[in-house]
Amino acid sequence: MSRMTKSSSPVGAATGRPHTPDNTDAVPQKSPGARELLRALPWLAPALILIIGVVLFPAGVMFFNSTRDISLSGLDKGSVGFDNYIAVFNFPAFWPIMGRTVIWVASVVVITVVISLGLAQILNKAFPGRQLVRLAVIIPWAASVVMTTLVFYYGLEPYFGVINKFLVDIGLVATPEGFGWTRNPTTAFAWSIVIAIFVSLPFTTYTLLAGLQSVPGDALEAAKMDGAGPVRTYWSIVFPQLRGALSVAVLINIINVFNSLPILKVMTGSIPGYDADTVMTMIFKYIELQKKVDVASALSVVAFLIVIVIVAAYVKIVKPMKEV
């Protein structure tokens, strides 16, 4: 009797392990060892070399230069420790510049994403001439950023600018000579935001358009049959499906806008003082105006660390690669 009871007990009951269909105990999978990593190294080597050569090595040189006393001609006069970083943080305009950088990045990214959501919805619909409209949307992205900025810059000139003349014609400005948009730090910075939004729209719009085209049609049809209206369908069905495309577009825009130099360089480069500067323009002012390559390197390291922290926090919180 005891023999029958013992033989009739389920397999694995004595060990306490879960029973598997093939009557064998579950074996945990081993993590990849050194041999597997060596086999993958030839495939990873080109990317690793590119990362080391383009990112890590320049970052290391930049950090080294930030701890040296370097003349404008490139002569290394020796180590100064972290004195250059102290000079950066003690600079009177540093914190206003940091605040302006936050305004610059946040306003450009948020407004670009909001407008791109609407443009992507329009371009996803079938209408006559849709291909031409899609081509027109991508033109600002294909054109040079400097060229686009110069078009706006000369268009805003008080005496011969086309944009300024148009603003006079519609009554927003009294006389074309009365206001120099590019000569005032506040208005020049505001117009820089407008230009940055303009050149960021194509990439963001096409990224979201790709996300829209991946939304299952049967899900939209089911929502329609259930009586959901367009607004409810968008927020309940379409927008969640855009999570991957939207999160990637926001992340890339944050990095690009933070590191953007040409627009602000053209629009605000001739304005004296630091009332229209961001971190990127301040780096070049350290080099061009104050002749301090070492302090510029220290500010570059600070900017690099800020970007790393922002990206790490964004990826940790948003999880752009997570499946919906």
Side-chain angles (χ1 to χ4, degrees):
M1 182 69 178
S2 60
R3 182 179 299 178
M4 293 179 60
T5 304
K6 183 176 180 180
S7 62
S8 61
S9 60
V11 177
T15 62
R17 296 180 181 178
H19 176 68
T20 53
D22 56 352
N23 293 329
T24 59
D25 292 338
V27 179
Q29 296 293 326
K30 295 182 179 180
S31 59
R35 182 176 298 179
E36 286 75 10
L37 293 177
L38 288 176
R39 290 176 180 176
L41 188 58
W43 304 97
L44 299 176
L48 293 176
I49 293 173
L50 184 64
I51 293 173
I52 293 172
V54 177
V55 179
L56 298 182
F57 178 74
V61 173
M62 184 172 60
F63 177 75
F64 176 79
N65 290 337
S66 69
T67 62
R68 314 296 291 181
D69 182 9
I70 302 176
S71 66
L72 187 62
S73 60
L75 178 63
D76 190 344
K77 301 179 181 179
S79 174
V80 294
F82 293 97
D83 289 351
N84 293 325
Y85 292 92
I86 296 174
V88 167
F89 289 108
N90 287 338
F91 185 69
F94 174 76
W95 293 111
I97 288 172
M98 290 299 299
R100 199 173 299 112
T101 303
V102 173
I103 295 173
W104 163 254
V105 174
S107 57
V108 172
V109 173
V110 171
I111 298 175
T112 298
V113 169
V114 171
I115 297 177
S116 296
L117 284 171
L119 285 176
Q121 281 292 124
I122 295 174
L123 296 179
N124 196 41
K125 304 294 183 182
F127 58 88
R130 182 175 66 170
Q131 297 300 327
L132 294 177
V133 175
R134 287 184 173 182
L135 180 62
V137 169
I138 207 173
I139 288 177
W141 193 27
S144 168
V145 176
V146 175
M147 181 187 72
T148 304
T149 307
L150 285 173
V151 171
F152 277 88
Y153 182 84
Y154 288 114
L156 292 168
E157 278 293 311
Y159 297 100
F160 55 83
V162 177
I163 299 175
N164 212 27
K165 181 65 168 59
F166 172 74
L167 296 175
V168 172
D169 292 340
I170 63 176
L172 290 181
V173 180
T175 59
E177 300 86 3
F179 198 84
W181 298 96
T182 58
R183 300 174 186 177
N184 181 280
T186 303
T187 55
F189 184 73
W191 274 103
S192 299
I193 292 176
V194 173
I195 299 169
I197 294 170
F198 179 72
V199 300
S200 301
L201 283 175
F203 166 77
T204 312
T205 300
Y206 269 82
T207 302
L208 296 178
L209 180 60
L212 282 175
Q213 293 179 342
S214 65
V215 176
D218 54 354
L220 299 177
E221 187 66 24
K224 185 177 180 180
M225 294 179 62
D226 289 339
V231 176
R232 178 67 181 276
T233 300
Y234 180 81
W235 291 111
S236 300
I237 305 297
V238 178
F239 191 76
Q241 296 292 328
L242 287 177
R243 183 184 182 279
L246 183 61
S247 56
V248 170
V250 170
L251 178 60
I252 294 178
N253 271 307
I254 289 175
I255 298 173
N256 287 340
V257 176
F258 184 92
N259 293 318
S260 178
L261 174 70
I263 296 174
L264 290 167
K265 182 69 173 175
V266 172
M267 294 296 294
T268 67
S270 60
I271 299 176
Y274 307 100
D275 293 335
D277 284 310
T278 62
V279 171
M280 289 298 114
T281 57
M282 191 60 212
I283 290 173
F284 281 83
K285 281 193 174 181
Y286 271 127
I287 299 174
E288 296 175 351
L289 300 181
Q290 302 187 23
K291 314 300 182 184
K292 296 180 178 179
V293 179
D294 42 15
V295 180
S297 298
L299 183 56
S300 299
V301 172
V302 172
F304 179 75
L305 293 178
I306 290 173
V307 172
I308 294 298
V309 170
I310 291 174
V311 171
Y314 183 87
V315 172
K316 179 68 175 179
I317 297 172
V318 179
K319 296 180 177 60
M321 295 296 107
K322 182 180 179 180
E323 294 292 336
V324 178

